[in-house]
Protein backbone atom coordinates (compact mmCIF):
# COMPACT_ATOMS: atom_id res chain seq x y z
CA UNK A 1 0.00 0.00 0.00
CA UNK A 2 1.12 3.54 -0.68
CA UNK A 3 1.50 6.02 2.19
CA UNK A 4 -1.62 8.10 2.89
CA UNK A 5 -1.63 11.54 4.46
CA UNK A 6 -4.14 13.92 5.96
CA UNK A 7 -3.14 17.37 4.70
CA UNK A 8 -6.11 19.45 5.76
CA UNK A 9 -9.03 19.49 8.16
CA UNK A 10 -12.10 21.66 8.69
CA UNK A 11 -15.07 21.56 11.06
CA UNK A 12 -18.31 23.47 11.04
CA UNK A 13 -18.90 23.97 14.79
CA UNK A 14 -21.34 21.62 16.48
CA UNK A 15 -24.55 22.70 18.19
CA UNK A 16 -28.24 23.20 17.56
CA UNK A 17 -28.57 24.62 14.04
CA UNK A 18 -32.12 23.75 12.92
CA UNK A 19 -31.98 26.09 9.94
CA UNK A 20 -29.05 24.27 8.32
CA UNK A 21 -29.65 20.87 6.73
CA UNK A 22 -26.93 18.25 6.34
CA UNK A 23 -26.03 19.38 2.82
CA UNK A 24 -25.53 22.98 3.93
CA UNK A 25 -23.48 21.94 6.95
CA UNK A 26 -21.34 19.63 4.81
CA UNK A 27 -20.84 22.36 2.21
CA UNK A 28 -19.60 24.80 4.84
CA UNK A 29 -17.02 22.35 6.16
CA UNK A 30 -15.84 21.31 2.68
CA UNK A 31 -15.67 24.90 1.48
CA UNK A 32 -13.46 25.77 4.43
CA UNK A 33 -11.25 22.76 3.68
CA UNK A 34 -10.85 23.77 0.03
CA UNK A 35 -10.03 27.35 0.98
CA UNK A 36 -7.45 26.32 3.58
CA UNK A 37 -5.64 23.80 1.42
CA UNK A 38 -5.89 25.77 -1.82
CA UNK A 39 -6.79 22.71 -3.89
CA UNK A 40 -8.65 23.22 -7.14
CA UNK A 41 -11.84 21.27 -7.95
CA UNK A 42 -10.18 19.43 -10.81
CA UNK A 43 -7.54 18.05 -8.44
CA UNK A 44 -10.11 15.97 -6.54
CA UNK A 45 -10.10 12.39 -7.84
CA UNK A 46 -12.96 11.06 -5.70
CA UNK A 47 -15.22 12.19 -2.87
CA UNK A 48 -16.87 10.38 0.03
CA UNK A 49 -19.50 11.72 2.39
CA UNK A 50 -20.83 10.04 5.52
CA UNK A 51 -24.28 10.58 7.03
CA UNK A 52 -27.03 8.57 8.67
CA UNK A 53 -29.91 10.98 8.09
CA UNK A 54 -28.64 13.33 5.37
CA UNK A 55 -30.63 11.82 2.52
CA UNK A 56 -29.90 10.54 -0.96
CA UNK A 57 -26.96 11.89 -2.97
CA UNK A 58 -25.68 14.02 -0.10
CA UNK A 59 -22.10 13.93 -1.34
CA UNK A 60 -23.04 15.15 -4.81
CA UNK A 61 -25.07 18.00 -3.32
CA UNK A 62 -22.13 19.07 -1.16
CA UNK A 63 -19.22 18.68 -3.58
CA UNK A 64 -20.96 20.22 -6.58
CA UNK A 65 -21.30 23.46 -4.63
CA UNK A 66 -17.51 23.72 -4.33
CA UNK A 67 -17.04 22.95 -8.02
CA UNK A 68 -16.25 19.24 -7.77
CA UNK A 69 -18.47 17.86 -10.51
CA UNK A 70 -17.90 14.76 -12.60
CA UNK A 71 -15.56 12.45 -10.64
CA UNK A 72 -16.89 9.45 -8.71
CA UNK A 73 -18.52 10.38 -5.41
CA UNK A 74 -20.20 8.19 -2.83
CA UNK A 75 -22.50 8.68 0.12
CA UNK A 76 -21.82 6.29 3.00
CA UNK A 77 -24.30 5.25 5.71
CA UNK A 78 -22.76 3.26 8.54
CA UNK A 79 -24.57 4.57 11.62
CA UNK A 80 -22.32 6.60 13.94
CA UNK A 81 -19.30 5.35 11.99
CA UNK A 82 -20.52 6.92 8.74
CA UNK A 83 -18.04 9.81 8.59
CA UNK A 84 -15.09 7.68 9.66
CA UNK A 85 -16.13 5.04 7.13
CA UNK A 86 -16.05 7.72 4.43
CA UNK A 87 -12.50 8.56 5.51
CA UNK A 88 -11.59 4.85 5.45
CA UNK A 89 -12.82 4.51 1.86
CA UNK A 90 -10.82 7.60 0.92
CA UNK A 91 -7.77 6.03 2.56
CA UNK A 92 -8.33 2.87 0.51
CA UNK A 93 -8.46 4.90 -2.72
CA UNK A 94 -5.15 6.64 -2.02
CA UNK A 95 -3.41 3.59 -0.54
CA UNK A 96 -4.28 1.52 -3.59
CA UNK A 97 -2.96 4.15 -5.98
CA UNK A 98 -6.39 4.74 -7.49
CA UNK A 99 -6.42 8.37 -6.30
CA UNK A 100 -3.98 11.11 -5.29
CA UNK A 101 -6.48 13.55 -3.77
CA UNK A 102 -9.68 12.69 -1.90
CA UNK A 103 -12.18 14.76 0.03
CA UNK A 104 -13.96 12.87 2.80
CA UNK A 105 -16.53 14.45 5.06
CA UNK A 106 -19.34 13.72 7.48
CA UNK A 107 -22.45 15.83 8.01
CA UNK A 108 -25.62 15.59 10.04
CA UNK A 109 -28.56 17.65 11.24
CA UNK A 110 -30.37 16.06 14.18
CA UNK A 111 -32.45 19.09 15.17
CA UNK A 112 -35.08 17.99 12.67
CA UNK A 113 -35.97 15.12 15.02
CA UNK A 114 -36.72 17.41 17.93
CA UNK A 115 -35.72 16.17 21.38
CA UNK A 116 -35.45 12.72 22.89
CA UNK A 117 -33.61 9.65 21.69
CA UNK A 118 -32.72 9.22 18.04
CA UNK A 119 -35.08 7.11 15.93
CA UNK A 120 -33.70 3.66 15.16
CA UNK A 121 -34.80 1.26 12.46
CA UNK A 122 -37.91 -0.69 13.39
CA UNK A 123 -36.74 -3.65 11.32
CA UNK A 124 -35.09 -5.14 14.40
CA UNK A 125 -36.56 -7.38 17.07
CA UNK A 126 -34.96 -5.56 20.03
CA UNK A 127 -35.85 -2.10 18.76
CA UNK A 128 -39.42 -3.19 18.08
CA UNK A 129 -39.60 -4.14 21.76
CA UNK A 130 -38.48 -0.67 22.83
CA UNK A 131 -34.70 -0.74 22.95
CA UNK A 132 -33.06 2.69 22.67
CA UNK A 133 -29.39 3.58 23.02
CA UNK A 134 -29.59 5.20 26.50
CA UNK A 135 -31.19 2.01 27.80
CA UNK A 136 -28.52 -0.19 26.23
CA UNK A 137 -25.71 1.85 27.75
CA UNK A 138 -27.49 1.98 31.10
CA UNK A 139 -27.49 -1.82 31.15
CA UNK A 140 -23.80 -1.83 30.31
CA UNK A 141 -23.17 0.68 33.09
CA UNK A 142 -25.09 -1.33 35.67
CA UNK A 143 -23.13 -4.46 34.83
CA UNK A 144 -19.79 -2.62 34.92
CA UNK A 145 -20.55 -1.08 38.32
CA UNK A 146 -21.61 -4.47 39.65
CA UNK A 147 -18.65 -6.43 38.30
CA UNK A 148 -15.78 -4.03 38.95
CA UNK A 149 -16.73 -2.11 42.07
CA UNK A 150 -17.14 1.23 40.34
CA UNK A 151 -19.86 3.71 41.33
CA UNK A 152 -22.01 6.30 39.63
CA UNK A 153 -19.44 8.86 40.80
CA UNK A 154 -16.93 7.21 38.48
CA UNK A 155 -19.30 7.79 35.55
CA UNK A 156 -19.63 11.40 36.68
CA UNK A 157 -15.84 11.82 36.70
CA UNK A 158 -15.80 11.06 32.96
CA UNK A 159 -18.42 13.72 32.25
CA UNK A 160 -16.65 16.32 34.39
CA UNK A 161 -13.30 15.63 32.66
CA UNK A 162 -14.67 15.79 29.16
CA UNK A 163 -16.78 18.88 29.77
CA UNK A 164 -13.66 20.52 31.23
CA UNK A 165 -11.77 19.69 28.03
CA UNK A 166 -14.61 20.87 25.79
CA UNK A 167 -14.89 24.18 27.62
CA UNK A 168 -11.77 25.24 25.70
CA UNK A 169 -12.94 23.94 22.31
CA UNK A 170 -14.57 26.63 20.13
CA UNK A 171 -16.07 23.89 17.94
CA UNK A 172 -17.84 22.12 20.81
CA UNK A 173 -21.59 22.04 21.41
CA UNK A 174 -21.04 22.62 25.14
CA UNK A 175 -18.28 25.03 26.19
CA UNK A 176 -18.86 25.17 29.93
CA UNK A 177 -17.32 23.17 32.76
CA UNK A 178 -19.63 21.24 35.06
CA UNK A 179 -19.31 20.01 38.63
CA UNK A 180 -20.21 16.61 40.09
CA UNK A 181 -23.17 18.30 41.71
CA UNK A 182 -24.38 19.53 38.31
CA UNK A 183 -24.39 15.93 37.12
CA UNK A 184 -26.19 14.71 40.22
CA UNK A 185 -28.82 17.42 39.82
CA UNK A 186 -29.49 16.64 36.15
CA UNK A 187 -32.54 14.57 35.43
CA UNK A 188 -32.50 10.79 35.38
CA UNK A 189 -32.44 9.18 31.92
CA UNK A 190 -31.92 5.44 32.49
CA UNK A 191 -30.49 4.34 35.83
CA UNK A 192 -27.63 4.94 36.58
CA UNK A 193 -27.29 7.44 33.73
CA UNK A 194 -28.36 11.03 34.23
CA UNK A 195 -28.65 13.68 31.54
CA UNK A 196 -25.07 14.92 31.95
CA UNK A 197 -23.76 11.38 31.55
CA UNK A 198 -25.08 11.52 27.96
CA UNK A 199 -23.89 13.26 24.81
CA UNK A 200 -26.19 15.77 23.10
CA UNK A 201 -27.83 15.33 19.72
CA UNK A 202 -26.00 17.90 17.62
CA UNK A 203 -25.80 19.38 14.15
CA UNK A 204 -22.45 19.80 12.44
CA UNK A 205 -19.97 18.68 9.80
CA UNK A 206 -16.30 17.95 9.31
CA UNK A 207 -14.07 17.38 6.28
CA UNK A 208 -10.54 16.10 5.69
CA UNK A 209 -8.21 16.03 2.71
CA UNK A 210 -6.56 12.65 2.13
CA UNK A 211 -3.72 12.50 -0.36
CA UNK A 212 -0.60 10.75 -1.58
CA UNK A 213 2.88 11.79 -0.53
CA UNK A 214 3.59 13.46 -3.87
CA UNK A 215 0.37 15.44 -3.72
CA UNK A 216 1.00 16.47 -0.11
CA UNK A 217 4.36 17.94 -1.11
CA UNK A 218 2.56 20.38 -3.42
CA UNK A 219 0.54 21.86 -0.55
CA UNK A 220 1.51 24.48 1.99
CA UNK A 221 -0.50 22.84 4.76
CA UNK A 222 1.11 20.47 7.29
CA UNK A 223 0.47 16.75 6.97
CA UNK A 224 0.12 13.70 9.19
CA UNK A 225 0.37 10.10 8.11
CA UNK A 226 -2.47 7.59 8.39
CA UNK A 227 -0.70 4.54 9.78
CA UNK A 228 -3.82 2.46 10.29
CA UNK A 229 -7.38 2.60 8.96
CA UNK A 230 -9.76 -0.21 9.85
CA UNK A 231 -13.52 -0.78 9.74
CA UNK A 232 -15.22 -3.81 11.24
CA UNK A 233 -18.81 -4.94 11.75
CA UNK A 234 -20.26 -6.71 14.76
CA UNK A 235 -20.02 -10.48 15.07
CA UNK A 236 -23.53 -11.94 15.06
CA UNK A 237 -24.59 -14.45 17.68
CA UNK A 238 -27.64 -15.05 19.84
CA UNK A 239 -25.85 -16.30 22.94
CA UNK A 240 -24.88 -14.54 26.16
CA UNK A 241 -23.44 -11.06 25.63
CA UNK A 242 -20.85 -9.64 28.00
CA UNK A 243 -22.18 -6.12 28.45
CA UNK A 244 -18.83 -4.88 29.79
CA UNK A 245 -16.72 -5.92 26.79
CA UNK A 246 -17.18 -4.19 23.40
CA UNK A 247 -15.80 -6.99 21.26
CA UNK A 248 -16.10 -4.96 18.07
CA UNK A 249 -13.77 -2.31 19.49
CA UNK A 250 -11.24 -4.90 20.63
CA UNK A 251 -11.17 -6.62 17.24
CA UNK A 252 -10.88 -3.35 15.34
CA UNK A 253 -8.11 -2.14 17.65
CA UNK A 254 -6.12 -5.35 17.21
CA UNK A 255 -6.23 -4.95 13.43
CA UNK A 256 -5.38 -1.23 13.59
CA UNK A 257 -2.38 -1.74 15.89
CA UNK A 258 -1.07 -4.52 13.65
CA UNK A 259 -1.46 -2.37 10.54
CA UNK A 260 0.28 0.60 12.16
CA UNK A 261 3.00 -1.46 13.84
CA UNK A 262 2.17 0.25 17.12
CA UNK A 263 0.79 -0.69 20.53
CA UNK A 264 -1.54 0.97 23.07
CA UNK A 265 1.48 2.21 25.04
CA UNK A 266 2.58 4.26 22.01
CA UNK A 267 -0.55 6.43 22.00
CA UNK A 268 -0.37 10.04 23.14
CA UNK A 269 -4.06 10.79 22.68
CA UNK A 270 -7.30 9.01 21.91
CA UNK A 271 -10.56 10.44 20.62
CA UNK A 272 -13.07 7.69 21.39
CA UNK A 273 -16.81 7.18 21.17
CA UNK A 274 -17.97 8.43 24.57
CA UNK A 275 -21.63 8.72 23.60
CA UNK A 276 -22.33 7.98 27.28
CA UNK A 277 -19.86 8.25 30.13
CA UNK A 278 -19.75 4.48 30.61
CA UNK A 279 -18.62 4.13 26.99
CA UNK A 280 -15.29 5.80 27.75
CA UNK A 281 -14.55 3.17 30.39
CA UNK A 282 -15.60 0.24 28.23
CA UNK A 283 -13.80 1.34 25.08
CA UNK A 284 -10.64 2.44 26.92
CA UNK A 285 -10.29 -1.12 28.20
CA UNK A 286 -11.03 -2.67 24.81
CA UNK A 287 -8.43 -0.34 23.24
CA UNK A 288 -5.85 -1.59 25.73
CA UNK A 289 -5.12 1.77 27.38
CA UNK A 290 -6.49 0.51 30.69
CA UNK A 291 -6.64 -2.90 32.33
CA UNK A 292 -9.95 -4.74 32.30
CA UNK A 293 -12.18 -3.34 35.03
CA UNK A 294 -9.78 -0.53 35.93
CA UNK A 295 -10.53 2.29 33.51
CA UNK A 296 -12.56 4.09 36.16
CA UNK A 297 -9.46 4.14 38.36
CA UNK A 298 -7.42 5.60 35.49
CA UNK A 299 -9.91 8.44 35.15
CA UNK A 300 -9.85 9.07 38.89
CA UNK A 301 -6.04 9.12 38.93
CA UNK A 302 -5.84 11.68 36.11
CA UNK A 303 -4.25 9.22 33.69
CA UNK A 304 -6.70 10.24 30.93
CA UNK A 305 -6.32 13.99 31.49
CA UNK A 306 -4.82 16.14 28.77
CA UNK A 307 -1.46 16.05 30.56
CA UNK A 308 -1.87 12.46 31.78
CA UNK A 309 -0.47 9.13 30.62
CA UNK A 310 -2.71 9.16 27.53
CA UNK A 311 -5.11 12.01 26.84
CA UNK A 312 -8.61 10.65 26.26
CA UNK A 313 -11.03 12.96 24.44
CA UNK A 314 -8.89 16.11 24.83
CA UNK A 315 -11.35 17.87 22.50
CA UNK A 316 -14.18 17.19 24.95
CA UNK A 317 -15.39 14.03 23.25
CA UNK A 318 -18.98 13.41 22.30
CA UNK A 319 -20.13 14.39 25.79
CA UNK A 320 -18.95 17.98 25.30
CA UNK A 321 -18.17 18.37 21.60
CA UNK A 322 -21.49 16.81 20.62
CA UNK A 323 -22.57 13.95 18.43
CA UNK A 324 -23.96 14.74 14.97
CA UNK A 325 -23.79 11.01 14.22
CA UNK A 326 -22.40 10.95 10.66
CA UNK A 327 -19.97 13.80 11.34
CA UNK A 328 -18.45 12.46 14.55
CA UNK A 329 -15.78 10.15 13.14
CA UNK A 330 -14.55 12.73 10.64
CA UNK A 331 -14.37 15.35 13.39
CA UNK A 332 -12.24 13.09 15.56
CA UNK A 333 -9.70 12.88 12.73
CA UNK A 334 -9.71 16.68 12.39
CA UNK A 335 -9.02 17.06 16.12
CA UNK A 336 -6.20 14.49 15.91
CA UNK A 337 -4.73 16.29 12.88
CA UNK A 338 -4.57 19.58 14.74
CA UNK A 339 -3.01 17.89 17.77
CA UNK A 340 -0.28 16.19 15.73
CA UNK A 341 0.54 19.37 13.80
CA UNK A 342 0.66 21.53 16.92
CA UNK A 343 -2.41 23.53 15.93
CA UNK A 344 -4.72 22.53 18.79
CA UNK A 345 -4.25 25.74 20.79
CA UNK A 346 -5.56 25.43 24.35
CA UNK A 347 -6.50 21.80 23.63
CA UNK A 348 -2.92 20.83 22.81
CA UNK A 349 -1.60 17.61 24.30
CA UNK A 350 2.08 18.18 25.13
CA UNK A 351 4.39 16.39 22.71
CA UNK A 352 1.60 14.61 20.84
CA UNK A 353 2.95 12.45 18.02
CA UNK A 354 0.61 9.42 17.89
CA UNK A 355 -3.19 9.60 17.93
CA UNK A 356 -6.00 7.06 17.69
CA UNK A 357 -9.59 7.84 16.72
CA UNK A 358 -12.44 5.44 17.41
CA UNK A 359 -16.13 5.54 16.63
CA UNK A 360 -18.72 2.82 16.88
CA UNK A 361 -22.46 2.66 16.51
CA UNK A 362 -25.62 1.05 15.33
CA UNK A 363 -27.74 -0.96 17.71
CA UNK A 364 -29.01 -4.14 16.01
CA UNK A 365 -30.04 -7.53 17.28
CA UNK A 366 -27.31 -10.11 17.79
CA UNK A 367 -24.22 -7.86 17.82
CA UNK A 368 -22.68 -5.47 20.33
CA UNK A 369 -22.54 -2.73 17.68
CA UNK A 370 -23.14 -2.63 13.96
CA UNK A 371 -19.97 -0.82 12.86
CA UNK A 372 -16.66 0.37 14.22
CA UNK A 373 -14.07 2.56 12.49
CA UNK A 374 -10.60 3.29 13.80
CA UNK A 375 -7.66 5.35 12.58
CA UNK A 376 -4.12 5.68 13.88
CA UNK A 377 -2.27 8.81 12.81
CA UNK A 378 1.30 9.91 13.42
CA UNK A 379 3.17 13.18 13.03
CA UNK A 380 5.05 13.00 9.73
Amino acid sequence: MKPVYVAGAAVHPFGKQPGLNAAELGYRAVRQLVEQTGITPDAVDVGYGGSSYGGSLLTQRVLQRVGVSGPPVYTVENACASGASAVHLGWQAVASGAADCVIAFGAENLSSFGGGTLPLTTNDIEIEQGMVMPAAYAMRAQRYLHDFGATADDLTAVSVKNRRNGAQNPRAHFQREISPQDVADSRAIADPLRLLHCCPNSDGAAAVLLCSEDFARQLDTPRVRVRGSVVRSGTFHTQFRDMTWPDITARTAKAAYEMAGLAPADLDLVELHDAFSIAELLHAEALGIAERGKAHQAVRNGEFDRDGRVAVSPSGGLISRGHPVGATGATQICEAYWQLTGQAGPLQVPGASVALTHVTGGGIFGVDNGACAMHILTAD
Side-chain angles (χ1 to χ4, degrees):
M1 295 185 294
K2 295 186 176 181
V4 182
Y5 293 87
V6 175
V11 172
H12 182 82
F14 291 4
K16 293 295 184 184
Q17 301 167 75
L20 303 177
N21 61 28
E24 177 63 27
L25 291 165
Y27 161 67
R28 293 186 180 195
V30 172
R31 180 185 64 187
Q32 183 181 349
L33 178 72
V34 170
E35 291 173 351
Q36 289 179 354
T37 58
I39 62 170
T40 58
D42 61 347
V44 179
D45 296 314
V46 59
Y48 299 92
S51 182
S52 283
Y53 304 102
S56 176
L57 300 178
L58 173 67
T59 309
Q60 283 90 336
R61 288 184 279 130
V62 169
L63 294 184
Q64 286 174 0
R65 289 185 63 185
V66 297
V68 178
S69 178
V73 297
Y74 305 88
T75 300
V76 182
E77 190 284 307
N78 214 12
C80 302
S82 296
S85 295
V87 173
H88 173 70
L89 293 172
W91 169 83
Q92 283 187 339
V94 176
S96 69
D100 284 312
C101 175
V102 174
I103 289 176
F105 72 90
E108 209 79 80
N109 176 293
L110 300 181
S111 291
S112 58
F113 295 113
T117 61
L118 289 179
L120 303 175
T121 177
T122 56
N123 188 28
D124 184 282
I125 186 171
E126 291 184 349
I127 294 170
E128 286 179 346
Q129 294 177 7
M131 177 61 72
V132 291
M133 297 315 294
Y137 278 94
M139 288 192 287
R140 291 168 179 157
Q142 290 284 21
R143 193 72 212 185
Y144 187 91
L145 302 190
H146 175 273
D147 287 357
F148 302 118
T151 69
D153 289 342
D154 293 308
L155 304 179
T156 295
V158 173
S159 296
V160 170
K161 171 182 71 74
N162 291 353
R163 286 289 292 267
R164 182 173 64 245
N165 289 343
Q168 297 179 290
N169 188 346
R171 299 169 293 277
H173 189 147
F174 294 133
Q175 299 176 34
R176 181 180 68 84
E177 294 190 34
I178 59 174
S179 68
Q181 191 60 49
D182 291 328
V183 181
D185 291 343
S186 64
R187 74 175 187 269
I189 300 299
D191 191 42
L193 301 180
R194 308 192 77 84
L195 181 64
L196 294 185
H197 291 131
C198 311
C199 71
N201 293 340
S202 309
D203 310 322
V208 298
L209 181 69
L210 297 158
C211 59
S212 64
E213 187 171 13
D214 288 342
F215 192 93
R217 289 199 185 103
Q218 303 172 33
L219 303 175
D220 294 328
T221 51
R223 68 189 187 189
V224 301
R225 186 167 174 182
V226 183
R227 297 284 180 173
S229 178
V230 177
V231 174
R232 291 290 185 269
S233 61
T235 302
F236 181 83
H237 64 84
T238 57
Q239 301 169 355
F240 167 79
R241 282 185 248 173
D242 184 344
M243 300 294 282
T244 68
W245 185 248
D247 173 71
I248 190 172
T249 293
R251 288 187 294 106
T252 309
K254 183 176 184 295
Y257 290 137
E258 289 177 353
M259 180 181 293
L262 296 168
D266 296 314
L267 303 176
D268 296 308
L269 67 110
V270 172
E271 290 285 347
L272 56 69
H273 192 80
D274 60 323
F276 301 88
S277 54
I278 182 61
E280 176 164 320
L281 306 182
L282 301 180
H283 293 308
E285 294 174 11
L287 290 171
I289 59 174
E291 291 184 38
R292 183 79 184 271
K294 294 185 178 181
H296 63 288
Q297 297 176 13
V299 174
R300 286 289 193 182
N301 295 336
E303 295 177 43
F304 292 172
D305 288 353
R306 191 177 290 131
D307 59 353
R309 173 172 58 84
V310 53
V312 177
S313 297
S315 70
L318 282 63
I319 284 176
S320 184
R321 195 183 61 241
H323 185 29
V325 185
T328 291
T331 303
Q332 293 174 331
I333 292 169
C334 292
E335 297 286 355
Y337 171 78
W338 290 318
Q339 288 282 355
L340 299 179
T341 56
Q343 301 180 84
L347 307 178
Q348 188 67 50
V349 174
S353 62
V354 183
L356 180 148
T357 68
H358 157 271
V359 61
T360 183
I364 58 175
F365 171 68
V367 301
D368 54 347
N369 278 116
C372 182
M374 200 171 298
H375 291 83
I376 298 177
L377 304 98
T378 61
D380 184 39

